[in-house]
Amino acid sequence: MLILGIESSCDETAAAVVADGRRVRSNVVASQQLLHAETGGVVPEVAAREHLRALPLVVRQALREAECDWDDLDYVAATVGPGLPGALLVGLNGARGLAYARGLSLIPVDHIEGHVCANWLLDDEPPLPALALVISGGHTELLLMEDHGRYQRLGGTRDDAAGEAFDKVARLLDLGYPGGPPVSRLAATAPERRLKLPRAWLSGSDDFSFSGLKTAVLHTVQAPDAPPAAEVAWAFEESVADVLSKKAARAAEREGVASVLVAGGVAANRRIRERIEERSSVPVFIPPPDLCTDNAAMIAAAAFRHLDDARPAEAPLDIRPMAYRSRVR
Ligand code: KG4
Ligand code: ZN
């Protein structure tokens, strides 16, 4: 079974063809990163307009790379939320139009579930129940995945998302947007590795908080005897990795899960991956970086688990942006 997935919730316009929710036939991503680097973050209206321009191109390329025709497809799937409203509208309505024109039904997909399902695009299939840690620019969510489509939210961030913290620290250190990769690269060059920045444990809860850490970074770099930026970047990354890995390991043990699934753009971070793997007593699954950051293969993979939700393209269907904060700051 072939599903064409479409993703447009933030600043990547993506289309992919996935077979049976497991095998990636094509995975095309047009990133708007360069465009948003100029403003230091995503301007929602600019993102929406850019999705409109890129969507037909990525869809055509996804079909070409998958060597398939519209007739070979079984469904079209699109992200309905959470995400930026204007951005979601372009992807969802583009998907509806395409499905309508080709007589295909449409499957609405939750972006967070998409990130989790990227773990089904790996060679080995994760055993369930699983603990899922979704860490991205917009989200930090700890979920108990009992089965496909059956999730319990254990906790999440109370302020900044993990990726948002990387982006804000990058801004403090003048490293540009998005912040994760340059902060991580700078951290790797730290000559001294002794600086200790705070960790918000929020004991007794599965929630996270990263805004205090961000403020601590601000105070550290503004101090008259400020350490080199690389050391600050290293200590920041260590603090995030420590909190994420310990809290995930603790929740996994308490819930008695069979595996830990990590997903979202921040899962591309090497130190965070290593810490989580070190501390987990059950197998850890982490997709390769191109399936961690926003993509449409994960949307098609999640859609495969929700074939019951398929509906005629012309049926009313609205976006579900939820409380997604503007990424401009
Ligand atoms: O999942 P994603 O592509 O988009 C959202 O749904 O938010 O995640 C993007 C986020 C950005 O905040 C970016 O800085 C972060 O993931 N990120 C990283 C790394 N690569 C991307 N954070 C830390 N280390 C990385 N290597
Ligand atoms: Zn995402």
Side-chain angles (χ1 to χ4, degrees):
M1 170 181 301
L2 289 183
I3 301 182
L4 169 71
I6 291 177
E7 153 66 34
S8 71
S9 65
C10 190
D11 58 350
E12 337 276 350
T13 320
V17 176
V18 173
D20 304 323
R22 298 234 35 210
R23 289 185 308 282
V24 180
R25 294 271 296 262
S26 67
N27 188 21
V28 179
V29 180
S31 175
Q32 305 177 4
Q33 265 171 23
L34 288 176
L35 188 67
H36 299 302
E38 290 170 25
T39 42
V42 179
V43 179
E45 289 73 17
V46 175
R49 226 171 298 138
E50 189 59 18
H51 284 308
L52 199 54
R53 193 190 65 76
L55 189 63
L57 305 174
V58 296
V59 168
R60 212 171 300 146
Q61 194 178 336
L63 290 177
R64 197 183 322 124
E65 286 182 14
E67 294 179 1
C68 82
D69 239 334
W70 283 100
D71 293 342
D72 303 324
L73 294 176
D74 295 285
Y75 296 95
V76 177
T79 307
V80 289
L84 301 169
L88 289 166
L89 279 171
V90 174
L92 179 60
N93 287 313
R96 289 178 72 195
L98 290 168
Y100 182 74
R102 307 290 173 171
L104 295 167
S105 347
L106 187 82
I107 304 175
V109 175
D110 179 276
H111 182 80
I112 304 292
E113 188 173 5
H115 273 303
V116 173
C117 288
N119 284 291
W120 270 263
L121 298 171
L122 317 179
D123 290 340
D124 294 329
E125 195 163 355
L128 294 173
L131 183 91
L133 177 66
V134 181
I135 38 180
S136 73
H139 311 278
T140 304
E141 300 279 327
L142 199 58
L143 309 165
L144 175 63
M145 180 181 186
E146 290 157 353
D147 201 348
H148 282 289
R150 266 194 24 230
Y151 295 87
Q152 238 188 80
R153 184 178 187 272
L154 301 175
T157 185
R158 293 187 184 173
D159 39 59
D160 293 346
E164 191 179 357
F166 271 91
D167 295 338
K168 287 178 174 173
V169 164
R171 189 170 246 218
L172 289 175
L173 299 178
D174 238 347
L175 298 174
Y177 173 88
V183 167
S184 193
R185 276 196 299 272
L186 181 63
T189 67
E192 298 269 352
R193 301 187 169 189
R194 282 199 301 256
L195 178 66
K196 180 125 181 180
L197 290 171
R199 285 135 170 80
W201 293 112
L202 308 181
S203 308
S205 140
D206 287 324
D207 281 344
F208 299 91
S209 164
F210 296 107
S211 69
L213 173 60
K214 169 193 67 192
T215 309
V217 168
L218 176 68
H219 290 158
T220 307
V221 296
Q222 281 179 343
D225 55 344
E231 228 174 299
V232 179
W234 179 86
F236 163 77
E237 194 179 53
E238 190 59 32
S239 169
V240 175
D242 196 27
V243 170
L244 289 174
S245 59
K246 279 202 185 125
K247 295 199 75 154
R250 226 173 274 162
E253 262 160 50
R254 187 189 66 224
E255 302 294 336
V257 295
S259 62
V260 168
L261 315 178
V262 194
V266 182
N269 182 285
R270 231 186 64 212
R271 192 128 49 104
I272 293 174
R273 298 165 85 105
E274 282 170 7
R275 288 282 178 280
I276 292 173
E277 277 163 354
E278 271 163 33
R279 293 198 165 127
S280 177
S281 50
V282 291
V284 177
F285 292 77
I286 311 177
D290 61 327
L291 292 172
C292 281
T293 50
D294 286 351
N295 65 86
M298 70 184 198
I299 300 304
F304 180 74
R305 312 293 167 172
H306 288 285
L307 300 181
D308 286 354
D309 290 344
R311 61 195 66 205
E314 63 271 31
L317 179 60
D318 216 347
I319 53 166
R320 294 198 283 271
M322 303 207 298
Y324 198 90
R325 280 156 298 164
S326 165
R327 304 265 302 269
V328 184
R329 51 220 150 228

